[in-house]
Amino acid sequence: MILGLVAALAAAVAYGVASVLQAVGSRRLATAAPDARLLLRLLRSAPYVAGLALDAAGFAATVVALRVLPLFVVESAVASSVGVTALVAARWLGARLLRPERIALVVLGVGLVLLASSAEAEGGQPLSRAWQWVMLALSLVVAAAAGAATRAPRNQAAPLLAAAAGLGFGGVGIAARALQPPSPWWAILGEPLLWALVIDGVIALAAYAAALQRGAVTVVAAVTFAVETVVPAIAGYALLGDRARPGFLPVAVVGLVLTLGAAIALARYSEPESVTNGPSAAG
């Protein structure tokens, strides 16, 4: 269990610092057109590449945590990475933390402590083959819904795409928690959950980027955080045997609500560009 908690915390730190590094790397290119040349220039930026590396490390740590901890703990820890971003941005990018945001950071810490104290370490129950195919089918449904949302009016598209991103991120967590490595290892290529994980990951990244193009980062991040935290928590409880320690279910619920609420309150720090513009956004 300790390994899982350390991995979840490491994932939050990695994701949070990665956002700041990507902001630093992209700050000098803020006026460049968002095309392939911009991507190539970013990939020559040491801070930006370091941020990408931390994202990869964060994902690996998330997978380790998901093998032993319930989804509601791991997904809440991942959402809390916005608190790390806020702290690092305040220290290194000059972003101002107002009193409500400082309170939100304290609440975030309390929520994580409650979640950690309520968690019961155990591997996820394997999903039946039928449910594995359902997961894959649902990922395709979310992909189709995200595609349809891009054609909706701008004010409607942003929250719809954010919800699709949250479902995608949540699907990645559920698939990673339930996926059982087969023997021989290469047989994993035939596992529906592997392809559900890949499709959900692509959907999440694309839908989140598209939502940020159409709506305010605070709204987009809040919707995404809520969906990617609550949906996996329900799925883990209903399908994967995720449970709190005996007698600690109320503690887990309170911890989940506090962590999610604090993450939403800090939502403006969830996107590198908003971190870059932190001081002006903070007043």
Side-chain angles (χ1 to χ4, degrees):
M1 176 174 171
I2 298 299
L3 174 62
L5 291 173
V6 170
L9 179 60
V13 172
Y15 286 136
V17 176
S19 289
V20 177
L21 287 173
Q22 288 161 1
V24 171
S26 61
R27 173 175 283 181
R28 299 172 186 169
L29 307 177
T31 59
D35 54 19
R37 288 176 297 176
L38 172 60
L39 179 59
L40 290 175
R41 291 172 66 187
L42 285 172
L43 291 178
R44 291 197 295 267
S45 167
Y48 192 87
V49 172
L52 292 178
L54 278 175
D55 277 336
F59 178 75
T62 300
V63 172
V64 172
L66 284 168
R67 306 311 296 173
V68 294
L69 290 177
L71 275 161
F72 67 85
V73 176
V74 180
E75 295 296 342
S76 297
V78 170
S80 75
S81 65
V82 68
V84 177
T85 300
L87 288 172
V88 178
R91 176 63 180 85
W92 296 108
L93 296 184
R96 291 176 54 198
L97 291 177
L98 302 181
R99 184 178 180 183
E101 292 166 329
R102 292 195 293 268
I103 293 174
L105 285 170
V106 174
V107 172
L108 188 67
V110 172
L112 290 174
V113 169
L114 292 177
L115 285 169
S117 66
S118 66
E120 186 170 55
E122 58 181 18
Q125 294 179 0
L127 285 176
S128 67
R129 202 64 173 178
W131 270 109
Q132 293 181 36
W133 285 108
V134 167
M135 282 287 299
L136 180 56
L138 288 174
S139 68
L140 296 174
V141 171
V142 174
T150 61
R151 297 188 291 273
R154 193 179 186 90
N155 62 331
Q156 299 176 18
L160 291 174
L161 286 166
L167 289 172
F169 286 126
V172 169
I174 296 169
R177 172 81 166 148
L179 183 62
Q180 303 293 322
S183 181
W185 67 266
W186 48 261
I188 197 171
L189 295 175
E191 292 294 319
L193 284 178
L194 173 66
W195 297 106
L197 188 154
V198 171
I199 294 171
D200 281 329
V202 172
I203 293 168
L205 293 174
Y208 192 71
L212 287 170
Q213 290 176 338
R214 294 163 171 80
V217 64
T218 49
V219 175
V220 171
V223 173
T224 302
F225 286 159
V227 174
E228 76 167 301
T229 303
V230 174
V231 171
I234 295 173
Y237 190 89
L239 300 174
L240 301 177
D242 287 354
R243 295 291 185 272
R245 292 168 54 193
F248 275 74
L249 179 58
V251 176
V253 172
V254 172
L256 179 65
V257 171
L258 290 179
T259 303
L260 180 56
I264 290 174
L266 294 165
R268 74 180 179 90
Y269 291 95
S270 65
E271 170 66 12
E273 182 63 23
S274 70
V275 173
T276 303
N277 297 327
S280 61

